Amino acid sequence: QVQLVESGGGLVQAGDSLRLSCAASGRTFSSDTMGWFRQAPGKEREFVAAITGNGYTYYADSVKGRFTISRDNAKTTVFLQMSSLKPEDTAVYYCARYSSGFYYRPWGYDYWGQGTQVTVSS
C-alpha cells in the first residue's frame, strides 16, 4: 500500500510562483516514477509532469519552461515548482505513482493523493 499526501496549494495571482509537495509512504519510493496531474472543473484529468526514479523528467507542453518537477528520495517527497502561473493553471493538483503504460495517461498510475487546490487569479 502507498499513501500520497499533497500540500502547498493556495490562492495566488497571475505571475506568482507556488511549490507543491507530495509526501509518499508505505513502500520503496526511490525507484518509482511519480507524476503530477491536474483537473479543472468540468475537464478531464490531465498530465502535468513526471519524474523517474533516476531523475528523468517529462512535461506537458502547456507547462514546459514554467514548471519543474523534482524529488528528494531521502524524504520520499516529490515537488512541483510552478512559476509564471496563469489563470488557466487553476485546478486541483494530484500526485500519483506510475504503474504501467503511457506515463502521460492517468490510468497508468495506481496510487493517488487526495489533491490540493491551486487557484490563480488574473
Side-chain angles (χ1 to χ4, degrees):
Q1 190 76 8
V2 175
Q3 294 82 41
L4 302 172
V5 179
E6 303 97 335
S7 61
L11 172 63
V12 297
Q13 293 187 335
D16 285 351
S17 298
L18 205 59
R19 189 175 84 154
L20 305 183
S21 299
C22 171
S25 62
R27 54 152 283 160
T28 302
F29 171 84
S30 60
S31 60
D32 290 337
T33 291
M34 302 295 294
W36 285 97
F37 286 76
R38 66 186 181 186
Q39 188 165 18
K43 296 188 176 181
E44 293 186 352
R45 192 166 297 191
E46 67 172 359
F47 171 75
V48 175
I51 184 166
T52 67
N54 52 13
Y56 286 105
T57 57
Y58 305 90
Y59 296 95
D61 288 343
S62 59
V63 306
K64 202 171 293 183
R66 299 188 299 122
F67 291 11
T68 302
I69 189 171
S70 62
R71 65 192 300 157
D72 184 335
N73 288 337
K75 297 182 178 179
T76 63
T77 300
V78 180
F79 304 98
L80 185 68
Q81 178 67 47
M82 306 184 293
S83 303
S84 301
L85 283 162
K86 305 175 181 180
E88 50 264 43
D89 294 318
T90 295
V92 177
Y93 283 71
Y94 297 91
C95 171
R97 190 196 74 163
Y98 172 78
S99 176
S100 63
F102 296 113
Y103 66 86
Y104 52 88
R105 297 299 188 194
W107 48 84
Y109 293 73
D110 55 359
Y111 290 97
W112 293 81
Q114 83 289 349
T116 185
Q117 176 71 47
V118 172
T119 304
V120 184
S121 64
S122 58

